[in-house]
Amino acid sequence: MKRLLAIDTAQTTCAAAVLLREGGQDVLFRRSQVIGRGHAEILLAMISDVMAEAGCAFTDLDRIAVSNGPGSFTGLRVGLSAARGFALVTNTPVVGISTLDAVAMEQRSRCAGAPLLVALSARENEVYAARYESSGVQRDLAHVALIDDLAASLTGDWRLAGSAAPAIATAAGLGSGHVLSASAEVDISTIASLGLAAPVDAPAPVPLYLRPADAKPQTRGRIERI
């Protein structure tokens, strides 16, 4: 039996799940709540609940999967810190799952053979984006781009997904039928499935911030060192 703990705090949803796989059959125990902010206040209780419901101890886990962005700076730190903490104590492998990859996986069956652009709103007219073949193979690395630049690059038949998809479709002159999803949220079961399928030698997860934080260090009133 394979046992995996999945954690997602990248967007406005806080979610945790335990996936048990045996003989090709999956059983998922899950908790999920749209909270906006405050992931740190409820994540550990969610994890405790799903572990208890699954009858699984942390030492039983074969792997931990955690969303590593792009997404909320604070949310990502909460989820990654929890995953790394559990992994350190139990010596359990932990893998990071890109939110862009998760959106692509959920929408892949709807692409009808066309390539897929996944784009999540960042700030102003910037987006986090990555392109995928209809088979799910990633064409390029996750990156920050401008909506107009992405729209201009879409030659041929494309499908769009993610919170920035409607804006890009409008800028590219594409009809609403090209937009498969207008959400940045993913199902915790997707994080779990991708985590279980990740290579055994997958690198340790790092946050996929892609751009600097909005918050800047305070300088007013600072005393200069001599």
Side-chain angles (χ1 to χ4, degrees):
M1 176 182 288
K2 295 291 185 181
R3 302 174 179 88
L4 176 140
L5 170 65
I7 299 169
D8 181 21
T9 57
Q11 304 293 329
T12 61
T13 297
C14 186
V18 172
L19 175 62
L20 307 180
R21 175 171 292 179
E22 184 174 19
Q25 298 295 318
D26 290 349
V27 179
L28 187 74
F29 302 88
R30 56 184 295 159
R31 295 288 188 279
S32 181
Q33 184 177 346
V34 178
I35 60 171
R37 298 181 179 181
H39 297 81
E41 283 74 20
I42 67 172
L43 176 61
L44 293 182
M46 278 188 170
I47 293 173
S48 178
D49 287 347
V50 294
M51 293 289 288
E53 187 177 352
C56 182
F58 284 100
T59 52
D60 295 331
L61 293 173
D62 298 292
R63 179 173 287 188
I64 299 170
V66 57
S67 55
N68 66 335
S72 158
F73 278 67
T74 302
L76 290 177
R77 286 195 294 269
V78 170
L80 285 164
S81 295
R84 289 168 176 169
F86 295 137
L88 181 63
V89 171
T90 62
N91 197 30
T92 303
V94 56
V95 296
I97 304 300
S98 161
T99 308
L100 299 169
D101 290 349
V103 172
M105 179 181 178
E106 291 184 349
Q107 301 302 325
R108 186 169 62 196
S109 64
R110 303 176 60 202
C111 287
L116 173 67
L117 170 66
V118 179
L120 308 181
S121 300
R123 62 183 178 191
E124 298 178 356
N125 61 341
E126 289 182 343
V127 298
Y128 306 120
R131 295 176 174 86
Y132 300 82
E133 303 289 353
S134 60
S135 62
V137 175
Q138 191 169 346
R139 281 192 177 190
D140 56 7
L141 295 176
H143 59 283
V144 177
L146 299 177
I147 289 176
D148 289 342
D149 290 344
L150 275 179
S153 72
L154 297 180
T155 58
D157 187 25
W158 281 82
R159 298 295 182 268
L160 311 178
S163 52
I168 295 171
T170 298
L174 298 175
S176 59
H178 290 262
V179 177
L180 304 181
S181 165
S183 173
E185 305 295 337
V186 295
D187 195 282
I188 189 62
S189 64
T190 305
I191 302 295
S193 296
L194 286 172
L196 205 57
V200 175
D201 58 350
V206 294
L208 193 61
Y209 290 139
L210 298 184
R211 66 172 179 80
D214 291 330
K216 303 296 183 184
Q218 183 174 346
T219 57
R220 181 178 299 176
R222 177 180 294 173
I223 300 175
E224 296 295 334
R225 293 180 180 269
I226 299 176

